[in-house]
Amino acid sequence: METQVMIDDSPAPVLSKLTATHLPQAVALSSEMGWPYRAEDWAFAHALGDGLALELGDRLIGTAMRWNYGNAFTSIGMIIVGKEFQGHGYGARLVDALLAGVESTTVFLNATREAFDLYQRRGFISTGVLNQHQGVPVLNGASSQQSRVRKAEASDLSLIMDLDEGCLGMPRTGLLKSLAEIGQLTLISAGGVASGYAVCRAFGRGHVIGPVVAQNLEDARTLIEAAISQLSGGIVRVDTSADSGLSPWLEERGLKCVDTVTPMMRGTPPQTSLQTRIFALCSQSLG
């Protein structure tokens, strides 16, 4: 008869597929960590990817998710272990199970300070610094560039997908379709031709602006300013790389840098366009 492994006099947690029935407990687990995910935020991420649940009896004590972009790229995130269960290697167990089956793909993630070494030991390398900006925006006058921004129509979605793939080097068709259903998409034009886009949607304690794809810093600011102008107050979040040039301006607008994480990658970098770049992420998990 097989002997059951015991830790702290308790049965070993069981790893299984994360399903919709786990999501209420997942919300509570992320809240315990200080992550303000709503039930809607979990449902959005879950519908787009594959997840793992770590359970002790009927109790969810850990989660992990991954999202595939085409056949060559994967993003991983929402890796959580309940506070009282940390220190037993459960995070490593979740990560290893998550990475199984995607060995041939390029994998992206954003690592907290605590998890950096775990990912580094698995072959991930740092690719920069990501700043999380958050706050209630300071009121600002209308920019002369706002006339270049317009609300995206359903017929613009294929154009937005092309802008996104050219910028990132990977297809994110499912993500963008889902963002179009729940968020406000805007386009900015250069010479009458759409040259960038932004998404604003409800998330966490307020709204998140991202992805933001643009040709230059001025256009990125204009897209973000246009999104803020459509909101009736409240907290706004923007996740941007430290080298994007956006951080000083976001600070001036009242969106303080409240945290930093380390973007990491394992595998072959995607081939990206030099004409546009990504100035803000959809989320730290989804990229």
Side-chain angles (χ1 to χ4, degrees), residues 150-233:
R150 66 172 175 84
K151 180 180 177 181
E153 305 294 339
S155 58
D156 293 316
L157 189 55
S158 61
L159 172 59
I160 290 171
M161 290 177 181
D162 289 342
L163 287 169
D164 191 79
E165 185 169 356
C167 169
L168 293 173
M170 67 186 80
R172 303 198 298 177
T173 304
L175 173 62
L176 292 169
K177 283 182 178 179
S178 295
L179 287 172
E181 292 174 359
I182 67 169
Q184 178 71 54
L185 277 65
T186 52
L187 285 167
I188 191 166
S189 299
V193 179
S195 57
Y197 81 94
V199 181
C200 181
R201 63 187 172 100
F203 178 85
R205 299 187 181 98
H207 287 79
V208 63
I209 300 175
V212 176
V213 168
Q215 288 186 337
N216 52 59
L217 180 58
E218 181 182 11
D219 285 2
R221 289 175 177 173
T222 300
L223 283 163
I224 293 171
E225 195 69 67
I228 290 174
S229 70
Q230 298 301 309
L231 301 175
S232 55

Side-chain angles (χ1 to χ4, degrees), residues 24-42:
Q25 288 193 72
V27 173
L29 197 60
S30 55
S31 295
E32 178 189 335
M33 305 305 296
W35 299 0
Y37 294 149
R38 308 169 302 155
E40 295 90 339
D41 301 326
W42 265 104

